[in-house]
Amino acid sequence: MIVTVQQHILQQQDELFPTARGSFSSLLSGMTLATKMIQAKIRRAGLVDIIGSAGDINVQGETQQKLDVYANQALLHCLGTRESVAMLVSEENAQPVTIDRSETGKYVVVFDPLDGSSNIDVNVSVGTIFSILRRPDGVHGEAAVMQPGWKQVAAGYVVYGSSSIFVYTAGHGVFGFTLDPDIGAFVLSYPNLRMPDRGTYYSVNEANADSFPVHYREYLGGLRAKGYSSRYIGSLVADFHRTLLKGGVFLYPPTEKNPKGKLRLLYEANPLAFLAEQAGGLAIDGSQRILDIQPEGIHQRTALVMGSRAEVEEFEKKT
Ligand code: AHG
Ligand code: MN
Ligand code: MN
């Protein structure tokens, strides 16, 4: 018999969040609804006017794609109507979006509505990444988001590829669900995702190699000498999903253009680091554990070395 993500979350909730009284599962059903809406638009890109730039520049200084805007609006709408949500933080919004439920809202949801925007128009996999934090009692506004990643209640992503797969953890394992278009539900397809202890791929944008710190270059040369192959899609979610299933290592090192790394801590590195560790892998910023970093800003960037235990531990020996 099939198990949908809703059923799975209810099972998890009964075991993990007995006091959640449905608020946790209601929040995640808002997430699955929004990602189904986003998937429906992506699937019709080219048939409907969803390709190309929306013409605005976001807080990141990047040109917003139409699908970035649509995805963001879908998530703000579907999550903003859930009683348990106190605040939303999005890559596309300079400030947190506070829902005036300062007493009832238990959770803060942080998300990258559309990851891999540069790949939308060329039909390459893109994704949505999310992270769920509990709002500390009596804490409101940005302060409620400034929590290290180890405090996440849940995290996950949807990778919109040849199939759309919803992957999440609530701190007790990693589970994957494939969208069955015939019934419009995410159905359990990976009941216990584990990252291989070692892989054969490394994943990095080699165009920036000349500006990587030297120990990154030495490390990558060592992997090449061992016969590793290179895979780089340019959508973090897709590069992570491959690393989760096949093992290996993903890196976004400090570069001249992004001396602190390009990826955002709160809605890219933290949720994927939580998933990586739950699946038996590791995630560091080049020296410290990603999940231990105390955030100072909602759009703060970080370097990232993430993947199988063997490859990340080998990197740590270089530092
Ligand atoms: P986003 O589309 O949400 O801005 O994220 C893009 C990120 C990430 O998906 C990917 O790993 C990285 O940018 C690629 O950066 P480069 O093109 O500099 O390699
Ligand atoms: Mn992104
Ligand atoms: Mn994005």
Side-chain angles (χ1 to χ4, degrees):
M1 199 50 187
I2 65 167
V3 175
T4 67
V5 66
Q6 260 73 21
Q7 288 166 318
H8 194 270
I9 289 161
L10 282 170
Q11 286 162 8
Q12 285 264 311
Q13 171 181 274
D14 293 349
E15 289 155 32
L16 307 178
F17 308 102
T19 60
R21 287 193 312 279
S23 56
F24 180 69
S25 53
S26 157
L27 190 167
L28 276 175
S29 71
M31 181 60 69
T32 54
L33 175 60
T35 55
K36 286 181 205 170
M37 291 165 64
I38 296 165
Q39 189 270 347
K41 276 282 187 248
I42 290 173
R43 194 182 53 203
R44 297 182 58 75
L47 298 175
V48 295
D49 179 24
I50 197 71
I51 278 185
S53 158
D56 296 334
I57 303 289
N58 66 11
V59 64
Q60 319 288 336
E62 296 160 348
T63 303
Q64 275 187 323
Q65 301 300 303
K66 285 178 188 158
L67 205 53
D68 283 328
V69 173
Y70 176 82
N72 195 41
Q73 286 167 347
L75 284 154
L76 292 174
H77 170 71
C78 294
L79 293 168
T81 54
R82 306 286 155 160
E83 274 303 305
S84 57
V85 173
M87 188 164 70
L88 298 170
V89 172
S90 167
E91 175 196 12
E92 303 299 334
N93 293 73
Q95 301 302 326
V97 176
T98 47
I99 324 284
D100 60 349
R101 286 192 210 98
S102 49
E103 298 320 315
T104 57
K106 289 173 60 176
Y107 299 108
V108 176
V109 188
V110 184
F111 53 85
D112 178 354
L114 202 96
D115 174 67
S117 305
S118 62
N119 280 325
I120 296 168
D121 296 359
V122 294
N123 205 32
V124 168
S125 299
V126 293
T128 296
I129 312 171
F130 65 90
S131 165
I132 300 173
L133 296 161
R134 194 170 278 106
R135 182 177 61 79
D137 288 343
V139 179
H140 305 286
E142 264 198 37
V145 199
M146 297 300 137
Q147 302 182 45
W150 62 265
K151 288 194 171 180
Q152 290 175 94
V153 172
Y157 62 82
V158 176
V159 54
Y160 309 104
S162 40
S163 59
S164 288
I165 299 180
F166 183 104
V167 175
Y168 92 103
T169 183
H172 293 262
V174 180
F175 309 94
F177 304 79
T178 302
L179 182 62
D180 180 341
D182 295 341
I183 59 173
F186 284 105
V187 176
L188 185 64
S189 45
Y190 297 89
N192 179 26
L193 272 166
R194 300 292 297 166
M195 189 183 284
D197 286 338
R198 180 184 293 276
T200 57
Y201 293 137
Y202 71 82
S203 185
V204 70
N205 185 339
E206 311 254 20
N208 303 319
D210 293 344
S211 68
F212 293 165
V214 68
H215 64 288
Y216 281 88
R217 281 182 274 165
E218 285 172 356
Y219 171 71
L220 292 168
L223 294 184
R224 281 193 291 275
K226 286 184 200 156
Y228 277 66
S229 197
S230 169
R231 292 284 186 280
Y232 192 71
I233 300 166
S235 298
L236 175 61
V237 172
D239 281 318
F240 177 80
H241 190 66
R242 180 201 56 251
T243 306
L244 176 61
L245 268 62
K246 300 284 187 190
V249 61
F250 172 91
L251 309 92
Y252 206 104
T255 63
E256 197 172 321
K257 187 178 171 210
N258 291 293
K260 290 191 182 306
K262 171 182 181 182
L263 300 173
R264 281 52 61 105
L265 174 64
L266 285 186
Y267 42 82
E268 290 176 317
N270 267 350
L272 298 184
F274 188 17
L275 287 160
E277 290 196 4
Q278 281 289 310
L282 295 171
I284 59 173
D285 69 353
S287 53
Q288 69 175 309
R289 184 179 177 233
I290 288 284
L291 296 184
D292 287 339
I293 299 174
Q294 174 55 48
E296 286 154 17
I298 60 174
H299 298 297
Q300 167 175 342
R301 296 176 188 264
T302 178
L304 182 61
V305 180
M306 174 168 61
S308 296
R309 181 166 295 279
E311 281 89 349
V312 178
E313 285 176 345
E314 188 178 331
F315 178 87
E316 287 177 314
K317 287 184 198 136
K318 291 266 181 205
T319 54

